[in-house]
Amino acid sequence: MNTLTVTKNIAKYVKDMGINISELSRKSGVAYGSLYASLGAEGRGRELKADELTDICFVLRINPMDFAEEKEVV
């Protein structure tokens, strides 16, 4: 599982759903600066850490594996 791909997919989900990063920070306990650098800032490219990912997914009630890159079966 490529964490940068997961981070980009979560960022797209957050943007598409209109989720407020400040509110997500308060609810998840993940620092706003970290969330902004990972999810809100175009081009910064900060990857989410595993614990941040799980905290965010818990708050949003989503499965982290839903954001993993699908691999082609050979």
Side-chain angles (χ1 to χ4, degrees):
M1 177 168 59
N2 181 337
T3 55
L4 187 55
T5 299
V6 172
T7 298
K8 286 181 179 180
N9 290 342
I10 295 252
K12 181 176 179 349
Y13 177 83
V14 166
K15 183 179 180 180
D16 290 350
M17 298 300 290
I19 297 167
N20 182 292
I21 293 176
S22 182
E23 183 178 343
L24 182 59
S25 173
R26 283 192 299 276
K27 289 181 177 181
S28 68
V30 178
Y32 174 82
S34 297
L35 284 180
Y36 184 78
S38 297
L39 307 179
E42 293 292 326
R44 286 202 183 179
R46 179 189 179 274
E47 295 180 31
L48 287 169
K49 296 179 181 176
D51 61 330
E52 294 171 340
L53 175 64
T54 56
D55 291 344
I56 290 166
C57 288
F58 179 79
V59 167
L60 297 177
R61 294 187 169 122
I62 54 177
N63 181 345
M65 292 308 295
D66 291 344
F67 297 94
E69 181 178 32
E70 292 185 22
K71 296 187 179 182
E72 187 175 320
V73 178
V74 180

